Amino acid sequence: MYTDYTKPLMLQGHQRAITQIKYNREGDLIFSSAKDSKPCVWYSLNGERLGTFNGHIGAVWCVDVDWTTTRLITGAGDMNTFLWDVETGTALGKIPCNSSVRTCNFSFSGNQASYSTDRAMNHPCELFVIDVRNIDASISSADPVLKLTMNEQQSKITSMLWGALDETVITGHENGSLRIWDLRAVKELNSVNDHTASITDMQMCSDGTMFVSSSKDCSAKLFDSDSLMCLKTFKTERPVNSACISPLFEHVALGGGQDAMEVTTTSTQAGKFDSRFFHLVYEEEFARVKGHFGPINSMAFHPDGKSFATGGEDGFVRLQVFDSSYYEHTFE
């Protein structure tokens, strides 16, 4: 079924395609990164833009906010990772890298952060873990707490999550593999190859026991966070760029579309750019929400599960509140 829900908020402020969106823990703020080099922060209630974080000179690929909404981390194609003060928008530190920074995440404690760089210009793909408790200008030359280098077989990291108790990091790769790393023993604990194409996004459920991955192989999959055992598969007929798990119901939302260069050949009515909702257990699609004029590149549920946000190739962030029919829907 197609569902309209209530009128969405259109957040207009980016000049180019959205690459990632993240809510803070309380859900009152939403952070967005885009190919226009200026990450933004918005009020999720009314879509008002609070400000931008100015410093990058290339496409910003990733963004994350810590548990207390005091620090922001961004990584970009200008080969820099920035750490920001959320309240003032000032850059606390800048870490130069050897190639584009593709992923970045704070650990659950907020004491550490991780970021990964692309394989480019004879530099391998690398994963870095840094201490972010006391950030100042010296972080640009400080040694990371840990550095892991990916070999040819492991391929480029395209998505990343922290595991439980800040002891592990889960990485998704260009070849479709998922790997879990023990940060203390500095070794790979496990890897699986359930996806057959590049992993585009990974997001945890609210209690951290499971995560959902999206892939260009036209599917999203639910995994156990500890064992990497594949629990469920949600299939579509197009590449999936992002997927997230509802904190309120047993629902999974998927967003995607074709590659950007094919977008001009598809009309919005063709239904390629909808947000699609699946039941977590039954793996059945039960709703679609239209909106974007191009592929959805990132999506996230509000922490209370009553609304969701999407960021698209069209440069818009859309905030959509569910209406009463969403809560009344039951599976036969």
Side-chain angles (χ1 to χ4, degrees):
M1 67 173 185
Y2 272 93
T3 313
D4 261 347
Y5 299 128
T6 53
K7 189 171 173 60
L9 289 170
M10 294 277 283
L11 278 50
Q12 302 180 32
H14 286 291
Q15 306 298 316
R16 295 187 64 199
I18 308 296
T19 53
Q20 194 166 30
I21 53 173
K22 288 274 180 79
Y23 281 100
N24 66 339
R25 178 168 60 109
E26 293 80 14
D28 59 329
L29 299 177
I30 188 163
F31 297 85
S32 58
S33 62
K35 294 179 181 177
D36 61 6
S37 80
K38 291 185 178 177
C40 294
V41 56
W42 319 74
Y43 282 119
S44 63
L45 185 66
N46 58 11
E48 179 188 346
R49 184 164 68 167
L50 271 120
T52 57
F53 299 88
N54 301 322
H56 284 294
I57 54 171
V60 183
W61 294 116
C62 51
V63 62
D64 195 27
V65 61
D66 71 358
W67 189 248
T68 57
T69 319
T70 51
R71 306 265 175 81
L72 191 76
I73 185 170
T74 55
D78 61 9
M79 304 194 293
N80 286 304
T81 298
F82 271 85
L83 290 145
W84 311 85
D85 183 298
V86 170
E87 187 177 4
T88 63
T90 55
L92 300 170
K94 173 175 139 181
I95 306 169
C97 305
N98 291 324
S99 57
S100 292
V101 182
R102 188 64 52 177
T103 67
C104 62
N105 286 89
F106 283 104
S107 66
F108 288 111
S109 68
N111 293 335
Q112 293 178 310
S114 56
Y115 61 93
S116 70
T117 59
D118 286 352
R119 176 186 287 123
M121 299 176 289
N122 295 325
H123 292 288
C125 171
E126 293 178 312
L127 171 67
F128 297 87
V129 177
I130 54 173
D131 189 320
V132 292
R133 281 173 292 189
N134 300 299
I135 307 170
D136 55 30
S138 67
I139 198 166
S140 63
S141 55
D143 290 331
V145 175
L146 180 68
K147 180 171 84 169
L148 291 166
T149 302
M150 303 296 124
N151 59 33
E152 290 285 338
Q153 185 183 354
Q154 289 161 338
S155 89
K156 184 177 89 174
I157 295 172
T158 52
S159 190
M160 175 174 57
L161 288 172
W162 279 83
L165 305 174
D166 296 2
E167 292 173 355
T168 57
V169 162
I170 303 164
T171 54
H173 295 256
E174 195 171 38
N175 62 4
S177 64
L178 285 164
R179 301 172 189 278
I180 187 164
W181 306 85
D182 185 321
L183 299 181
R184 294 184 180 175
V186 195
K187 67 175 184 180
E188 183 182 315
L189 291 176
N190 192 11
S191 69
V192 294
N193 291 285
D194 289 280
H195 282 294
T196 56
S198 178
I199 290 172
T200 50
D201 187 23
M202 301 192 303
Q203 295 191 38
M204 280 283 182
C205 67
S206 53
D207 64 7
T209 56
M210 302 178 293
F211 68 92
V212 64
S213 63
S214 60
S215 170
K216 290 183 177 178
D217 66 6
C218 304
S219 74
K221 292 177 185 282
L222 187 72
F223 290 92
D224 180 274
S225 302
D226 290 330
S227 65
L228 295 188
M229 179 179 165
C230 184
L231 306 171
K232 298 288 175 182
T233 299
F234 312 96
K235 294 178 180 174
T236 72
E237 67 290 334
R238 61 183 187 181
V240 185
N241 295 338
S242 189
C244 50
I245 303 172
S246 168
L248 197 58
F249 297 118
E250 292 180 325
H251 294 168
V252 175
L254 276 60
Q258 331 96 302
D259 289 333
M261 59 187 180
E262 295 175 10
V263 169
T264 51
T265 63
T266 303
S267 72
T268 312
Q269 282 73 33
K272 298 279 188 186
F273 312 134
D274 306 333
S275 304
R276 300 171 69 161
F277 291 81
F278 287 76
H279 193 280
L280 185 81
V281 179
Y282 303 128
E283 304 177 0
E284 288 181 12
E285 184 179 353
F286 65 88
R288 295 187 185 187
V289 181
K290 293 180 178 179
H292 285 282
F293 302 107
I296 293 171
N297 292 335
S298 184
M299 66 188 306
F301 273 103
H302 189 285
D304 68 7
K306 295 177 181 177
S307 60
F308 71 100
T310 53
E313 190 70 25
D314 54 13
F316 294 118
V317 177
R318 289 170 61 91
L319 300 179
Q320 186 98 41
V321 179
F322 295 115
D323 69 0
S324 57
S325 66
Y326 175 75
Y327 304 102
E328 293 160 6
H329 180 74
T330 55
F331 275 81
E332 299 297 329

